Amino acid sequence: MNKNGPPGLSPDAVSRHLRRTWIQTILGIALLAVLSTSSLYFLGLHWSFTGLILMAWVLLPLWGWYKSADMVKKLMHCHEPSPFDMRHARLVTIVDRLFPRTGLPVKPAVYVSPLPVPNAFATGRNPQNSFICATEGLLRMDLTDQELEGIVAHELAHVKSRDVTITSMTAVLGSLLTIILAQGLPGIFRPVFDTESSGNLLSRLDRKVKKDRKRFFAAGGGIAGLALFVVIFFLVSMFSRLVSMFVSRARESHADVLAAHWTGNPCSLSSALQKISNWLSINMIDIRMQMLLSGLSPLLLVSPLDNENGDTENGENSQNSRLRRWWQRLGQNHPPVPERLAMLDELAGSSCPRIK
């Protein structure tokens, strides 16, 4: 371990993971951009439509980026911390202590949400507009100052890296790709629907088959054309969603690394993640908050669905269970908590304590 680095922290591991997460982020955004642009050409869309797409490419992210803080603040009922509440005062003190280490030009506003589920999030279009928020459930937990500091540092890292802008951009790119496909792919089998004769759809299909049975399975029309459209649309849309989730997980890992770097204590964040994850696994089924939180999952410190349908607790380690866990991971906004703990172990240079 480098003696010049903070105690309990491996500077080499920090640099390596920061590089890796940025490479993953750039790769994911580039994949969506190339896929969207290629679709415009390969599907032969008109330049007028291309112009609309390019305009939307700019305007839609700008709208979501500009209004994100206001929307989340209303949705989560965020309010300013009370100076008469010791838990709120403790949160503000920790933010004040961490802020000089972040290099942010302005200290983000601090809010508290009445949500009873322990979690935290950050949002905003830029550091000047951003805020971080902790739920009442988090502040009521038995967290040490170091553990709460690790959580706050994670959220400040999202503000520092403008992760709300990055994840909003990837989500919009994925949506635009779906729009492009919906506009362009029907041209593959449009001859089935564009006919001078009258009649319903089934009649047109029947006449099409009788007129030219050899082209029944051609990509240009018929049942095969419809099936091809559905399959391609599903696969490409699924791929764009998985890439968006890939970028989101990279940003979460990046925030974990920055938090460990600023606090110099990866194991505090590790123990905080374990405590929150344990609480969610015990209480989430009873309070049934996953439907409310699923839409906000990209913003939260720990995904409320992280333990959903998991089989690691039962000791299953078969090929099928590993494949199932891999597939479930692809659709998650956050890396699984065990994976985050393993990365924090690496940053610490040794295994952090595990909470039973």
Side-chain angles (χ1 to χ4, degrees):
M1 188 176 296
N2 192 328
K3 294 182 180 180
N4 295 326
L9 186 68
S10 170
D12 291 339
V14 169
S15 300
R16 182 169 63 255
H17 282 286
L18 288 177
R19 268 196 315 272
R20 177 177 61 82
T21 53
W22 273 117
I23 290 172
Q24 290 174 340
T25 300
I26 294 170
L27 177 62
I29 294 175
L31 278 174
L32 286 178
V34 170
L35 194 57
S36 299
T37 305
S38 300
S39 299
L40 289 173
Y41 288 101
F42 287 124
L43 295 176
L45 298 182
H46 299 295
W47 281 107
S48 58
F49 183 76
T50 303
L52 291 176
I53 287 293
L54 292 177
M55 287 178 61
W57 202 326
V58 175
L59 295 179
L60 289 180
L62 283 177
W63 175 253
W65 162 76
Y66 188 81
K67 299 296 291 183
S68 60
D70 294 335
M71 292 188 292
V72 173
K73 192 182 299 183
K74 291 179 181 177
L75 183 62
M76 298 293 282
H77 303 287
C78 299
H79 59 83
E80 293 184 358
S82 169
F84 305 106
D85 190 313
M86 295 294 294
R87 293 187 295 264
H88 296 186
R90 178 189 181 207
L91 173 66
V92 173
T93 298
I94 289 176
V95 173
D96 291 341
R97 185 165 65 238
L98 277 172
F99 169 65
R101 310 179 198 174
T102 65
L104 286 166
V106 178
K107 185 178 73 174
V110 181
Y111 289 101
V112 176
S113 168
L115 198 69
V117 178
N119 233 308
F121 57 91
T123 188
R125 59 180 179 264
N126 53 42
Q128 289 77 14
N129 176 258
S130 296
F131 69 85
I132 65 171
C133 182
T135 65
E136 290 284 3
L138 179 70
L139 298 179
R140 293 192 190 109
M141 287 191 71
D142 183 24
L143 297 175
T144 67
D145 285 349
Q146 290 75 23
E147 289 168 343
L148 186 56
E149 187 178 70
I151 293 171
V152 170
H154 175 99
E155 302 308 330
L156 289 173
H158 281 310
V159 176
K160 173 76 172 180
S161 303
R162 299 175 183 260
D163 287 337
V164 171
T165 300
I166 293 173
T167 54
S168 297
M169 179 66 72
T170 55
V172 170
L173 286 177
S175 299
L176 287 177
L177 177 59
T178 303
I179 295 172
I180 293 170
L181 295 176
Q183 173 70 17
L185 283 178
I188 294 177
F189 62 95
R190 188 169 290 134
V192 177
F193 302 96
D194 296 339
T195 177
E196 296 179 358
S197 61
S198 61
N200 58 32
L201 175 59
L202 293 178
S203 298
R204 296 178 196 173
L205 288 172
D206 183 63
R207 282 193 294 270
K208 183 74 177 178
V209 171
K210 290 180 179 178
K211 182 177 180 181
D212 191 355
R213 290 180 180 274
K214 293 182 179 179
R215 297 192 63 225
F216 178 62
F217 290 105
I223 300 300
L226 177 60
L228 182 62
F229 162 70
V230 172
V231 170
I232 294 177
F233 186 86
F234 173 79
L235 290 178
V236 179
S237 299
M238 176 65 73
F239 177 77
S240 68
R241 181 178 183 275
L242 294 180
V243 173
S244 297
M245 298 300 100
F246 173 80
V247 173
S248 179
R249 291 194 300 272
R251 303 320 303 155
E252 290 298 323
S253 295
H254 185 271
D256 283 345
V257 177
L258 270 186
H261 176 61
W262 288 338
T263 62
N265 192 349
C267 290
S268 290
L269 179 57
S270 175
S271 60
L273 290 173
Q274 293 176 64
K275 287 182 178 180
I276 296 174
S277 180
N278 290 343
W279 191 99
L280 292 173
S281 64
I282 294 171
N283 297 279
M284 187 53 62
I285 295 178
D286 296 330
I287 62 174
R288 298 291 183 184
M289 292 295 292
Q290 58 264 43
M291 293 184 65
L292 169 64
L293 291 175
S294 58
L296 293 171
S297 184
L299 294 174
L300 301 177
L301 172 75
V302 178
S303 172
L305 307 180
D306 188 66
N307 294 310
E308 192 82 355
N309 299 322
D311 49 31
T312 56
E313 295 179 1
N314 298 326
E316 296 183 24
N317 197 33
S318 65
Q319 185 66 28
N320 288 339
S321 65
R322 288 196 297 269
L323 181 61
R324 184 163 62 252
R325 291 195 298 270
W326 172 80
W327 178 252
Q328 290 170 351
R329 181 188 186 280
L330 291 180
Q332 294 176 343
N333 292 289
H334 295 64
V337 169
E339 185 177 309
R340 297 172 73 178
L341 300 183
M343 184 186 70
L344 291 169
D345 288 343
E346 185 178 347
L347 296 178
S350 61
S351 294
C352 295
R354 294 296 188 259
I355 299 174
K356 300 297 184 182

